[in-house]
Amino acid sequence: MTDIQPTFSFELFPPKTDKGVARLRETVTALNARRPAFFSVTYGAGGSTQSTTFAAVDWIREQGIAAAPHLSCIGSTRDELLGILQRYADQGIDRVVALRGDLPSGAGAGAIGDLGHANELVALIRERFGDTFHVEVAAYPEMHPQARNFDSDLDNFKRKVDAGADSAITQYFYNADAYAAFVDACADRAIDIPIVPGIMPITNFSNLVRFSDACGAEIPRWLRKRLEGFGDDTASIAALGTAVVTGLCSRLLEMGAPGLHFYTMNQAAPTLAIWDNLGLDAVNALPGA
Ligand code: FAD
């Protein structure tokens, strides 16, 4: 795999309430002490979170912290997407996460918008903005849930790379072998961009099952059974979750993963517990710091 300096980053979602905004700010402040490469902020398909994503990104930037907004193309016109990208370019934002997104269930085919897949968004960004942005895309070691099969999903991942993606962040997974096999399959196709594992800390069993079912991430049976067995004992769930995810991260870094991207769910403590177990302060120290 790659020997470049690993990139550590944190993902946030845009809160809807004042309480949520306060929590996001506390989370960013706590996590920023770890000097991540950037904080990314998700974006709802069709612009459903546009104003809250902008507000979160603006606040992060006002703190002098690097922000990488997500942009999903489904449900939007080309002009709407270009308008958002121009706003980010004008703000000096230099990294975006380019996605297709998902339409709400029941939306008709007419709701798709001008671009059907993320590779078209990457191509649009490169065509109109050249190298203004470092473009991240999504990758799926356990296969995207709508993909026909693993090979066609890889072909589609390669389309995004060929369109100009600089690096990728994966869907979360709990099986390091799935990541290793995916990275090997990418290498066989001459895909050589960094593929950073997405890491989901485990804090709440029912939420984890719901997210995982929706996004196609597998919770290994042994882990599902052990977590389920804890019932409402959130302390035991968190303790096992932290140990398991620390072990996963440790293995991924030993395998040469080019960094880690934490799905923080706007909570600092679960990510910090894993970070501290891994001793990442030392790994992430700036040269000469
Ligand atoms: P694509 O790369 O377009 O792939 C979607 C499906 O279409 C796959 O099955 C693929 O095999 C197939 N496909 C791709 N290209 C083609 C093509 N040219 N022709 C035919 N088939 C094709 N969602 C949000 O709404 N907001 C977010 O902020 C967000 N952030 C995310 C961040 C990360 C790191 C990840 C992993 C996911 C994120 N998602 C987000 C979820 C994502 O939008 C969904 O997984 C969505 O279903 C697919 O998005 P994509 O960009 O991977 O799509």
Side-chain angles (χ1 to χ4, degrees):
M1 289 181 206
T2 168
D3 56 2
I4 58 165
Q5 186 71 15
T7 299
F8 298 98
S9 51
F10 299 127
E11 183 167 314
L12 306 159
F13 64 84
K16 293 193 194 102
T17 62
D18 289 349
K19 203 170 148 201
V21 169
R23 188 167 76 171
L24 176 130
R25 293 179 180 189
E26 283 164 19
T27 299
V28 171
T29 304
L31 291 177
N32 192 46
R34 272 32 189 201
R35 293 185 300 185
F38 61 91
F39 284 85
S40 80
V41 182
T42 62
Y43 182 84
S48 56
T49 68
Q50 188 175 115
S51 61
T52 48
T53 298
F54 286 172
V57 168
D58 290 351
W59 182 82
I60 293 167
R61 287 188 42 78
E62 280 158 25
Q63 312 316 301
I65 299 171
H70 295 208
L71 182 58
S72 45
C73 59
I74 206 151
S76 294
T77 65
R78 197 177 258 99
D79 283 348
E80 284 164 348
L81 296 165
L82 288 172
I84 295 167
L85 289 161
Q86 189 61 55
R87 178 188 202 273
Y88 292 147
D90 291 345
Q91 287 180 297
I93 287 173
D94 61 3
R95 186 187 292 258
V96 291
V97 185
L99 301 144
R100 184 196 71 176
D102 291 306
L103 282 177
S105 54
I112 285 177
D114 287 346
L115 309 183
H117 290 100
N119 64 297
E120 296 168 48
L121 178 59
V122 177
L124 182 69
I125 295 171
R126 286 291 177 239
E127 180 198 319
R128 296 299 188 91
F129 293 91
D131 290 334
T132 302
F133 300 109
H134 176 113
V135 179
E136 302 268 3
V137 291
Y140 301 86
E142 296 181 327
M143 218 176 90
H144 184 266
Q146 292 159 356
R148 221 165 357 106
N149 54 46
F150 187 77
D151 276 347
S152 69
D153 206 25
L154 258 184
D155 289 342
N156 290 327
F157 178 55
K158 187 162 168 31
R159 288 178 206 263
K160 298 193 274 196
V161 178
D162 292 345
D166 294 295
S167 51
I169 300 169
T170 75
Q171 184 56 274
Y172 70 87
F173 55 86
Y174 294 106
N175 180 350
D177 291 337
Y179 173 77
F182 181 77
V183 171
D184 285 349
C186 287
D188 288 346
R189 285 168 197 243
I191 296 172
D192 60 0
I193 62 168
I195 300 170
V196 175
I199 303 298
M200 179 68 90
I202 298 173
T203 53
N204 177 307
F205 178 66
S206 53
N207 283 350
L208 183 70
V209 169
R210 193 163 42 83
F211 285 145
S212 303
D213 287 349
C215 72
E218 188 182 55
I219 308 171
R221 180 183 156 84
W222 67 269
L223 180 56
R224 185 185 274 257
K225 289 289 171 197
R226 283 188 63 184
L227 291 169
E228 197 173 14
F230 289 133
D232 293 335
D233 178 358
T234 50
S236 295
I237 291 172
L240 178 64
T242 302
V244 167
V245 178
T246 300
L248 172 68
C249 293
S250 173
R251 185 146 176 241
L252 291 167
L253 292 172
E254 276 164 27
M255 284 161 52
L260 298 171
H261 177 80
F262 289 90
Y263 295 106
T264 70
M265 307 306 287
N266 294 6
Q267 296 178 59
T271 292
L272 285 177
I274 298 163
W275 183 283
D276 291 344
N277 283 348
L278 290 167
L280 286 181
D281 270 352
V283 177
N284 200 34
L286 294 173

